[in-house]
Amino acid sequence: MTDKVLMACRECDALQWVPWVPRGQKVRCRGCGATLYHQPRGGLDRPIALLLGALFLYVLANSFPLITLDIGGAVRETSLVGTSWALYQHDMKLLGLLVFFTSLAIPGMILLSTLYVLTGLRWQLRLPGLRQMLVLLSHIHPWEMADVFVVSILVAMVKMSGMADVIIDAGLYALIGYILLGVAASASMDVFVLWQRLEKMPDHRVPAGLKQ
């Protein structure tokens, strides 16, 4: 991967030929100095490891309650699925569906899709739909709002602390850990690098039974 690639700067739209740099280095725009792309030090092994950890925490976050409320002896537990379902049942169907998709379905889809893409690129496997999956990730990522959901939970906990005993459960710790690992994994990847790896992938490395 030593040849140059024509690339447009996202800040000033200047077209320029950029080289393929070693790990740990970045390429800047000749016009405005903005970063065009960077080569993560850990290659693809680091984001794959981080995302596997995030997947484990994601399962835990959906398996345990987030918080427990003790209001005068009446104990109520709240989970991710339970929150969406409660909103759906109390005449807020649209809000319940929105919470379900932005905090559960879409984050899970992004997590599994990213692992699918990175696995194919790391081991140079022409997996079915690999290119389409990489395109899809760039479109659905803005709809992942698990971090916003956590912030709203913390705000609600502060407001309810005077009315009830609020107990933080394992699900919330797992959800926060999942978000932190997801952010670290995103910082360890560059979309331009992923596309270049896909374009340079040899066609003969197709696993048996997975040819499109």
Side-chain angles (χ1 to χ4, degrees):
M1 299 184 184
T2 56
D3 53 324
K4 295 185 177 181
V5 178
L6 187 62
M7 187 178 185
C9 177
R10 290 184 290 267
E11 299 295 332
C12 66
D13 295 329
L15 281 174
Q16 53 206 290
W17 291 97
V18 296
W20 186 260
V21 296
R23 292 182 182 180
Q25 297 185 14
K26 62 178 61 177
V27 176
R28 297 186 180 276
C29 176
R30 296 177 181 176
C32 64
T35 300
L36 297 178
Y37 80 93
H38 72 282
Q39 273 278 21
R41 293 183 180 274
L44 296 183
D45 293 335
R46 178 179 296 179
I48 289 175
L50 291 171
L51 288 175
L52 287 175
L55 178 61
F56 175 73
L57 292 177
Y58 177 81
V59 173
L60 291 182
N62 288 279
S63 303
F64 296 95
L66 299 176
I67 58 174
T68 299
L69 300 177
D70 187 350
I71 308 175
V75 179
R76 295 290 185 272
E77 294 180 343
T78 303
S79 63
L80 282 173
V81 178
T83 301
S84 304
W85 181 242
L87 291 172
Y88 188 85
Q89 285 186 315
H90 289 80
D91 296 328
M92 290 182 282
K93 292 181 172 57
L94 184 59
L95 182 58
L97 291 174
L98 183 63
V99 170
F100 174 78
F101 280 106
T102 56
S103 62
L104 273 169
I106 294 180
M109 184 189 307
I110 292 176
L111 183 57
L112 294 176
S113 300
T114 306
L115 277 172
Y116 184 83
V117 171
L118 294 181
T119 299
L121 296 179
R122 170 61 178 82
W123 284 278
Q124 296 188 343
L125 303 174
R126 285 283 184 178
L127 300 177
L130 191 61
R131 180 180 296 272
Q132 293 79 1
M133 195 72 71
L134 189 53
V135 173
L136 179 64
L137 287 176
S138 62
H139 289 86
I140 66 175
H141 183 73
W143 287 93
E144 182 183 13
M145 298 183 182
D147 51 345
V148 178
F149 185 72
V150 169
V151 172
S152 63
I153 291 177
L154 296 178
V155 172
M157 288 172 55
V158 172
K159 292 184 177 181
M160 297 185 64
S161 59
M163 300 181 294
D165 293 329
V166 181
I167 303 172
I168 301 177
D169 288 316
L172 185 57
Y173 290 114
L175 183 60
I176 294 175
Y178 152 74
I179 294 173
L180 293 177
L181 289 182
V183 171
S186 298
S188 303
M189 296 182 293
D190 191 287
V191 176
F192 175 78
V193 175
L194 298 182
W195 276 111
Q196 290 303 302
R197 283 181 173 271
L198 181 61
E199 295 298 331
K200 300 293 184 179
M201 185 183 298
D203 293 330
H204 66 276
R205 293 293 300 277
V206 182
L210 291 181
K211 293 184 178 181
Q212 300 187 50

